[in-house]
Amino acid sequence: MTSTPSRLSRRVWLAGALVLATGLTPAVAQERVLNLYSARHYQTDERLYGDFTKATGVRINRVDADDAGILARLQAEGSASPADVVLLVDAARLWRAEQDGLFQPVKSAVLEQRIPAQFRGADGGEGSRWFGFSTRARVLVYDPKRLKAEQVDAYEKLADPALKGLVCMRSGSHPYNLSLFGSVIEHLGAEKAEAWLRGLKDNLARDPKGGDTDQIRAVAAGECAVAVTNSYYYARLMRSGNPADKAVVDATRVVFPNQATWGTHVNISGGAVARHARNRDAAVQFLEYLASDSAQRYFADGNNEYPTVGGVATENPALTALGRFKAETVPVAKVGANTAQVQRMLDRVGLK
Ligand code: FE
């Protein structure tokens, strides 16, 4: 039987009436979304987000930019910002965003119980404004043909005159280095930290350029003998199937500095609920998801970071090979708070 146009339109009307009567609305109007501003520049995170959507039905709209870009965008958008969750990759930036009023406090028993206080923003009773979900160690990579491990087993030694012209490092004012230097201020005091920065600058093999991986490659290429890098960049090379990456790993060694003293500096990647979040419940749900065992495993097994949640079993051959290490215990919020002081020091020392 064929439908006349009038029968067809009647069917459409009936379908519409059914929707109204039962309260059913088309799927698109019902869909829950979460607007995520992310500075995490790692492909392996796709599955992390996909699993959240699978488990909750909440679709993630992602805006990717670096830390500075995200903060500028949040500032510019103000109360009109669609951002619900913000993910950044550095303690100093998280601290900065908190100071600038870009986040809102979150009271969550799950987050309080799972994320150690060392890796959270200050909690004045209404909850923290940011939470660290993974850590990365700032390690030293050296050329074993030119240096012995004992020559580079502490950050302090980067200023040793014996290393003159041998040190490679990305820009001193990159957040990863600002946080490292902020940590050194906590451990050595401002005066010694500045003298150390001066010595470090004098030891540079070249003007800072490129990212952390470029510094590792420069060691393998003989341009310098020791470099400063986040641990995950080295682990990524260790897991690479590319023969050139394998050659870089074969030509270098890693040291976790300050094992005999205050421990290796660790930075965090962390998240927060945006000040003007419209989907607040989904935002908190997402942060709690990032603290779950499965998400914590993604940070380690996918992107070679370390979980902040204790007791999460991971299966990453590179992290296993790098071994366990003693990390510093200074709260990352304190390190972040030192950033402005570090910046002034860098200006005085002339380290770009
Ligand atoms: Fe990075």
Side-chain angles (χ1 to χ4, degrees), residues 39 41-42 89 136 170 174 176 212 230 232-233 236 303:
H41 46 97
Y42 320 114
V89 293
R136 47 279 294 283
R170 80 191 302 166
H174 185 277
Y176 296 161
D212 283 355
N230 279 354
Y232 61 87
Y233 291 112
R236 193 182 290 167
N303 193 46

Side-chain angles (χ1 to χ4, degrees), residues 167-172 177 181 200 204 208-209 215 228 351:
V167 179
C168 274
M169 190 181 68
R170 80 191 302 166
S171 166
N177 282 334
F181 304 155
L200 168 58
L204 289 179
K209 62 174 179 184
Q215 317 309 315
V228 183
L351 181 57

